[in-house]
Amino acid sequence: MTCTGYPKKGKATDYVARLYLGRLGKIDNGIVAVVSSGLVDGLTFPLMFEIYKPKERLKLKDSYLSKPQITTQMIREIKAMRFEIDYVLADSLYGKIRVHLFAVYKD
């Protein structure tokens, strides 16, 4: 599980906001995706992604989810697809918010 940020100019693209962008190492205008990947026989492949929707950029139909909450939702979806999960590796942000991730394993 990781967050990937992409710099963007302006705000014409949905969910663009001033966010921490790891590839730039600073807060800047951009869009962030929470990405899950799998590992099988030494090969890494993408499973799914979800665009992070900052509170200040939500649309009427949107509901706010933090990045750890998005991650938790993804893990539940991956488990529902019957993928076997042995380990979850995540960015340092998730280490500070263990409750969300560990709650998934109680399901």
Side-chain angles (χ1 to χ4, degrees):
M1 307 304 285
T2 189
C3 292
T4 303
Y6 302 95
K8 298 290 285 183
K9 294 185 184 211
K11 292 196 174 193
T13 303
D14 292 343
Y15 311 117
V16 168
R18 292 196 53 79
L19 303 163
Y20 179 78
L21 305 175
R23 67 179 57 208
L24 300 180
K26 65 180 183 175
I27 294 174
D28 206 343
N29 217 42
I31 192 164
V32 171
V34 178
V35 181
S36 64
S37 299
L39 176 69
V40 175
D41 296 330
L43 298 173
T44 304
F45 56 94
L47 290 172
M48 62 178 57
F49 75 94
E50 178 76 30
I51 299 297
Y52 170 69
K53 301 171 184 173
K55 287 180 184 177
E56 67 273 13
R57 298 284 292 173
L58 292 177
K59 297 175 184 238
L60 290 176
K61 62 181 171 64
D62 293 334
S63 57
Y64 176 76
L65 291 176
S66 68
K67 291 175 215 166
Q69 288 171 319
I70 293 170
T71 299
T72 301
Q73 181 178 315
M74 284 181 156
I75 293 170
R76 286 189 173 116
E77 289 176 32
I78 291 166
K79 286 174 67 174
M81 290 187 282
R82 301 203 170 262
F83 279 91
E84 183 179 319
I85 300 174
D86 292 327
Y87 301 98
V88 175
L89 303 177
D91 287 17
S92 60
L93 164 70
Y94 300 117
K96 296 176 186 172
I97 309 173
R98 292 184 182 158
V99 175
H100 293 292
L101 293 179
F102 292 125
V104 174
Y105 290 101
K106 293 181 181 178
D107 292 347

